[in-house]
Amino acid sequence: MDFSIINKFYKIDKQLIELSEEAYYNVQMQFGQIEKIKNYNQLKVLKSFQENKVCDVHFSGTTGYGYSDVGRDTIEKIYSSMFKTQDSLVRIQFVSGTQALSTMLFGVLRPQDTLLSITGSPYDTLLKVIGLKPGGNGTLMEYGINYKQIELINNDFDYDSIRKCLLTDKSIKAIFIQRSRGYTQRRSLDINQIENICKNIKEYRDDVVILVDNCYGEFTDISEPSEVGADLIGGSLIKNPGGTIALTGGYISGRKDLVEKCADRLFSPGMGKETGPSLGFNRYILQGLFYAPHIVAESLKISVWSSYLLEKLGFSTSPKYNEKRSDIVQSITFYSEKKLIEFCKGIQQGCPIDSIYEPEPWDMPGYSNQVIMAAGSFVQGASLELSCDAPIKEPYTAYLQGGWNFESGVIGILIGLQRIRKMC
């Protein structure tokens, strides 16, 4: 990128431009690794399209019950081919990653079963699904499903505690793994860590179902959790696999018997995967999936570059620019509520949509603290488009994610930093 042209369009401090160029120069090795992963995943997606004979006819949609939707069924075959699973459920009826994960939990678990989370407390929006926080109706706990959790140790699984728990509590039916960090300071879990724990779990209890929240992680590596031992994975189409094109939707992929249970939970027992109209959304889902490896790579480049730049400016970042990544999320700790808010407002100002508005902290449903969310996106809430959100609590950490392209990410970040400088 030629940083010298930025001031033809935006008034950015000269020192920030110089630091941006320095950052860009020093992260080229990391960019090269990102390109290798992108190339692999792009060919994987292309081959899956070709093997499943995608044609123009698959773009059409169904209404009503959604019977015999060949486009929808082909999309699910592509996901299974791509994730190397027996079956998939890819539907516009999922409005969020939380709903897809909730469907997984309710599909697999029954009264008196126990869910064991081995990555500590799940993401905020799942706490009400489980029943750990008030405000939700029909939670897992209301249905007599028990819950236990084991914390990570030094950002890895507590193998001893997991083994003891599995051997002593036979009611444990499902194990939950959250791949991404959520609103925490821990690093995201990489594929090798997930593979090791899956093998370890199956040595002691091959009857338990391993569920992975794959949100923000798709296409950040050459393998997915479903390829290394996870029984089910789930996520949102307005995150990575939707490629900024899918207008809504989510997916569940894994063992056929488990996917069928999830389909019955989503729609109705006995109807399951046979129903669910696509309403003309198939083209968006297919086109988004085809774009996804490239846009995920752009998002990773934005995160790597911003990590170097912000660290240079004295802020705390995670991951560091040269650390291995397993999701698209970049955390930035400002240690100041005002700086955090100004940065998020700058991200909003740099977006192509709603740049005239300024985000403010608000009581967002499902979250314990007020949250500020900057997202001038074409699709409401689309995390793969440039966004930055943060709970308003110490140490005032923002979570940057996504980006249609590297250039737009650079502008949003620089405007955010410029706003911070003006307030100092």
Side-chain angles (χ1 to χ4, degrees), residues 122-124 178-186 188 216 327 329 331 399:
Y123 190 68
D124 286 24
Q178 181 177 295
R179 181 178 181 181
S180 188
R181 69 181 57 211
Y183 283 160
T184 69
Q185 291 298 305
R186 76 163 173 89
S188 300
Y216 305 105
D327 69 4
V329 181
S331 80
Y399 298 86

Side-chain angles (χ1 to χ4, degrees), residues 119 122 150 274:
T119 47
I150 296 173
E274 301 302 316

Side-chain angles (χ1 to χ4, degrees), residues 179-180 191 213-221 223-225 239-241 251 296 326-328:
R179 181 178 181 181
S180 188
I191 290 298
D213 172 0
N214 205 31
C215 289
Y216 305 105
E218 299 92 348
F219 304 123
T220 60
D221 208 328
S223 299
E224 301 292 337
K239 295 183 174 68
N240 298 19
Y251 75 90
V296 168
S326 188
D327 69 4
I328 62 170

Side-chain angles (χ1 to χ4, degrees), residues 49-304:
F49 273 56
Q50 294 166 341
E51 288 176 344
N52 288 283
K53 302 179 175 64
V54 176
C55 299
D56 186 74
V57 68
H58 294 128
F59 297 160
S60 61
T62 52
T63 59
Y65 297 118
Y67 293 140
S68 303
D69 192 320
V70 293
R72 181 198 67 204
D73 294 344
T74 298
I75 288 169
E76 292 179 340
K77 290 177 182 177
I78 290 170
Y79 267 72
S80 297
S81 173
M82 187 175 62
F83 288 149
K84 294 182 171 56
T85 58
Q86 295 175 354
D87 203 359
S88 296
L89 184 67
V90 187
R91 302 298 168 106
I92 62 170
Q93 284 75 24
F94 290 123
V95 299
S96 67
T98 298
Q99 187 189 350
L101 298 172
S102 175
T103 302
M104 283 169 52
L105 295 174
F106 279 101
V108 169
L109 294 161
R110 298 292 180 268
Q112 308 310 313
D113 286 344
T114 296
L115 170 67
L116 173 64
S117 171
I118 58 173
T119 47
S121 179
Y123 190 68
D124 286 24
T125 54
L126 275 182
L127 297 179
K128 289 186 178 181
V129 173
I130 296 168
L132 295 172
K133 288 196 173 181
N137 296 305
T139 66
L140 291 178
M141 289 181 173
E142 284 185 33
Y143 279 89
I145 296 167
N146 304 307
Y147 173 79
K148 291 182 176 181
Q149 72 182 42
I150 296 173
E151 303 296 327
L152 295 170
I153 297 178
N154 297 323
N155 217 83
D156 203 357
F157 297 103
D158 184 349
Y159 284 84
D160 288 339
S161 295
I162 294 168
R163 176 180 60 82
K164 289 175 184 177
C165 199
L166 287 173
L167 292 177
T168 57
D169 188 349
K170 297 301 180 181
S171 73
I172 295 173
K173 175 67 176 293
I175 288 180
F176 181 78
I177 298 172
Q178 181 177 295
R179 181 178 181 181
S180 188
R181 69 181 57 211
Y183 283 160
T184 69
Q185 291 298 305
R186 76 163 173 89
R187 296 192 304 276
S188 300
L189 299 168
D190 66 39
I191 290 298
N192 291 334
Q193 289 175 294
I194 294 173
E195 180 176 20
N196 290 338
I197 194 61
C198 287
K199 288 179 179 177
N200 193 269
I201 288 167
K202 295 298 184 179
E203 286 179 6
Y204 299 110
R205 291 279 303 277
D206 60 4
D207 60 317
V208 297
V209 178
I210 301 174
L211 311 173
V212 176
D213 172 0
N214 205 31
C215 289
Y216 305 105
E218 299 92 348
F219 304 123
T220 60
D221 208 328
I222 62 172
S223 299
E224 301 292 337
S226 53
E227 300 176 60
V228 297
D231 296 301
L232 277 182
I233 62 174
S236 168
L237 299 192
I238 62 171
K239 295 183 174 68
N240 298 19
T244 75
I245 302 296
L247 301 180
T248 190
Y251 75 90
I252 294 171
S253 190
R255 272 172 39 189
K256 185 174 181 61
D257 61 320
L258 300 177
V259 171
E260 288 176 352
K261 288 182 177 181
C262 294
D264 278 351
R265 174 67 193 188
L266 178 62
F267 294 109
S268 176
M271 298 180 73
K273 289 191 66 180
E274 301 302 316
T275 58
S278 59
L279 305 175
F281 282 73
N282 288 336
R283 181 178 70 82
Y284 298 107
I285 294 173
L286 285 164
Q287 190 173 6
L289 177 59
F290 189 73
Y291 286 174
H294 173 73
I295 298 181
V296 168
E298 291 292 284
S299 300
L300 290 171
K301 289 178 181 178
I302 292 166
S303 292
V304 168

